[in-house]
Amino acid sequence: MDVFHIDGGVRLEGRLRVNGSKNAALPLMAAALLTDKPVTLRDVPGLADIRNMVSLLGELGCEGELTEPADASEPSVLSLHTRDETSSHARYDVVRTMRASVCILGPVLARRGAARVSMPGGCAIGDRPIDLHLRGLEALGAHISLDSGDVVARVPNFAQGGRLRGATIFLGGSFGSTVLGTANVMSAATLAEGTTTIESAACEPEVVDLAKLLTSMGARIEGAGSPRIVVHGVESLAGADHTVIPDRIEAATFMAAAAITRGSLTLENCPVDALLAVTDCLGHIGVGISVGPHETDPMRVTCRVSPADRLAPVQITTQPYPGFPTDAQAQLMALVALADGNSVITEKIFPERFLHVAELTRMGARLLRQGSTVVVSGVGGLTGAPVMASDLRASAGLVLAGLAAKGRTTINRVYHLDRGYERLEERLERVGARITRAKSEELVAA
Ligand code: EPU
């Protein structure tokens, strides 16, 4: 198992390219199961989750080849082609390692008439049920049952020409909507008979990107990015060539990395249009964010992050898009741990997503958790320590703390980071960070 050693206290300076989004890419990849024509996805990040999805698609008869450039700043190309539609089972072994496997459910069901997907269990950030995905597919006419821990979904009379049927579906819950649930239902509805209206749909940019790919495959979708998505079903879909949107959470993490080290970073291919809640929050903290001139696509701009004179405290509440993203909560907590005053952070999407709190405390942060709220009393500095990564974004928060801390921080279980940040240590090193990857045995000797 790998660890990161970080010797903190260096200002980050330089340029970084924001890579394609993991959370956009995963449902885009699943959409290749909706057609037997080739689908090409560009700027897919070379991450463990993407490789797991390629192998899951392979088990489902969809061949995938990821061409990764030697230089991490060059976009990759993923070629997908479904050639065999006989299998419909996403096994426990695969789903266990990657919850997002659930996003094959809608495409496989709609195209093959049946899907069997191991029910994802809880994960480090909470229970994470899929009841809304299932309710949505049931509303489209699927029969759903549970067998030996697998969700078994079936389109009645599929062999006799039966299809899913368009319907009006409410996908809201007490937390807002569901991102992958919206992806599943929207994808399935593209091949349904008639019109589907998804009310309380997730508005996240990743859903918009999926609608864009589906539309270029021939789907008829209106309203993606708003809480009401209307899908007019078609008989079949074609192939497409699509470039994945840049990763807004990677961009937010880099912005926070610049801010916490009091450095200046220029971010290329930065989706500022999808980051307004984060940039507004950074603005209140005192961090400067400026967008380059002559930018035409607000999802792919060059932007410069410049240091704050002093870090001001803020209040942050995570919310569905366009609110503050839960996936950037840990990173901003690390940042305001060094603010001049008390900040309050409330988690409304995953109320248990605070595994980083105890680890940041070991580095000298002053954090008081009450339920889904953490009061962060800013301190003058953090100190390096051995810490344990627990989930992807908690780990990113610990890396940021390590970059700012005095002395050495060793982050254990870096595989969590490798799921969501491509070659993070190489890229941070390029802008001045003193960060190295090592095998965990070296921890003993260090
Ligand atoms: N929920 C339900 N029932 C459902 C589905 C969701 O109660 O059927 C609840 C969840 O428990 C949670 C809330 O709804 O409280 C939102 O969950 P959502 O379904 O939107 O999450 P997701 O689609 O499973 C995606 C991202 C997560 C990100 C969330 C929220 C992917 C692969 N994952 O998950 O990303 O935190 O949306 O924005 O897209 C990450 O990248 O670190 C990550 C966890």
Side-chain angles (χ1 to χ4, degrees):
M1 234 182 273
D2 290 356
V3 301
F4 279 171
H5 295 303
I6 304 173
D7 293 307
V10 183
R11 285 171 196 256
L12 300 189
E13 304 280 347
R15 296 176 90 84
L16 285 172
R17 178 183 187 275
V18 179
N19 287 347
S21 158
K22 161 184 86 82
N23 288 351
L26 292 168
L28 294 175
M29 291 168 71
L33 296 165
L34 286 163
T35 176
D36 56 6
K37 304 289 183 306
V39 172
T40 302
L41 299 176
R42 297 179 191 276
D43 211 7
V44 172
L47 298 168
D49 274 11
I50 298 294
R51 284 186 283 273
N52 283 336
M53 191 62 150
V54 169
S55 78
L56 171 59
L57 293 182
E59 291 191 15
L60 293 167
C62 176
E63 290 169 11
E65 195 185 350
L66 180 62
T67 314
E68 292 180 54
D71 178 348
S73 63
E74 292 291 316
S76 60
V77 179
L78 175 63
S79 309
L80 296 167
H81 194 173
T82 301
R83 294 179 189 271
D84 174 358
E85 300 188 277
T86 45
S87 168
S88 57
H89 189 184
R91 295 177 300 107
Y92 178 63
D93 282 355
V94 185
V95 179
R96 188 169 56 88
T97 54
M98 189 186 51
R99 264 197 106 265
S101 315
V102 74
C103 59
I104 64 110
L105 181 58
V108 172
L109 175 68
R111 173 83 190 170
R112 304 182 188 183
R116 185 177 188 108
V117 177
S118 178
M119 176 84 107
C123 74
I125 66 176
D127 285 347
R128 307 193 69 183
I130 57 162
D131 55 311
L132 292 169
H133 302 230
L134 303 185
R135 220 192 291 164
L137 296 173
E138 250 169 357
L140 293 177
H143 285 181
I144 305 229
S145 56
L146 194 63
D147 176 36
S148 312
D150 291 344
V151 171
V152 181
R154 213 168 40 76
V155 178
N157 303 319
F158 188 76
Q160 290 77 44
R163 288 164 66 186
L164 293 172
R165 286 186 320 271
T168 296
I169 300 163
F170 182 72
L171 273 191
S174 51
F175 40 81
S177 188
T178 161
V179 179
L180 291 180
T182 302
N184 251 331
V185 175
M186 180 170 75
S187 297
T190 59
L191 292 181
E193 203 174 339
T195 296
T196 298
T197 302
I198 307 173
E199 292 286 1
S200 195
C203 303
E204 269 68 2
E206 294 76 17
V207 172
V208 177
D209 204 35
L210 175 61
K212 205 169 155 198
L213 169 69
L214 293 169
T215 302
S216 60
M217 291 166 71
R220 293 176 54 214
I221 300 174
E222 295 152 16
S226 80
R228 175 184 289 172
I229 298 178
V230 178
V231 185
H232 306 285
V234 295
E235 298 240 332
S236 63
L237 294 174
D241 189 322
H242 177 86
T243 301
V244 181
I245 50 168
D247 193 319
R248 62 192 168 106
I249 304 303
E250 181 172 281
T253 305
F254 288 157
M255 287 176 178
I260 203 168
T261 64
R262 308 294 176 103
S264 312
L265 285 180
T266 299
L267 302 182
E268 287 159 7
N269 200 40
C270 182
V272 279
D273 199 43
L275 276 167
L276 295 180
V278 173
T279 52
D280 182 68
C281 178
L282 288 170
H284 283 108
I285 293 171
V287 179
I289 310 274
S290 55
V291 172
H294 313 304
E295 304 285 0
T296 47
D297 180 353
M299 285 294 280
R300 296 171 202 282
V301 306
T302 300
C303 86
R304 185 166 172 78
V305 187
S306 35
D309 294 335
R310 79 176 250 278
L311 299 174
V314 281
Q315 297 212 8
I316 297 173
T317 301
T318 66
Q319 284 170 334
Y321 190 83
F324 191 94
T326 171
D327 293 342
Q329 178 254 111
Q331 300 88 315
L332 267 284
M333 187 180 294
L335 176 62
V336 295
L338 292 170
D340 202 355
N342 296 337
S343 299
V344 179
I345 299 183
T346 301
E347 177 56 67
K348 292 254 188 186
I349 307 294
F350 296 112
E352 298 299 321
R353 196 177 203 176
F354 286 121
L355 289 164
H356 42 287
V357 166
E359 303 298 306
L360 288 172
T361 304
R362 301 189 65 248
M363 299 178 70
R366 284 182 51 210
L367 308 173
L368 176 70
R369 179 178 168 196
Q370 291 253 307
S372 59
T373 294
V374 174
V375 177
V376 184
S377 307
V379 293
L382 297 170
T383 44
V387 289
M388 190 70 85
S390 51
D391 83 87
L392 169 55
R393 307 305 172 185
S395 314
L398 296 177
V399 168
L400 297 190
L403 291 173
K406 190 158 180 266
R408 172 165 283 204
T409 297
T410 298
I411 314 240
N412 291 285
R413 302 195 178 172
V414 160
Y415 60 84
H416 290 293
L417 277 160
D418 290 338
R419 292 186 50 209
Y421 296 92
E422 188 175 3
R423 305 188 221 183
L424 183 64
E425 75 283 15
E426 285 175 29
R427 294 155 83 200
L428 290 177
E429 200 182 9
R430 218 180 294 151
V431 290
R434 287 178 300 193
I435 177 169
T436 52
R437 181 186 288 262
K439 293 286 165 210
S440 55
E441 300 84 78
E442 293 181 32
L443 176 64
V444 180

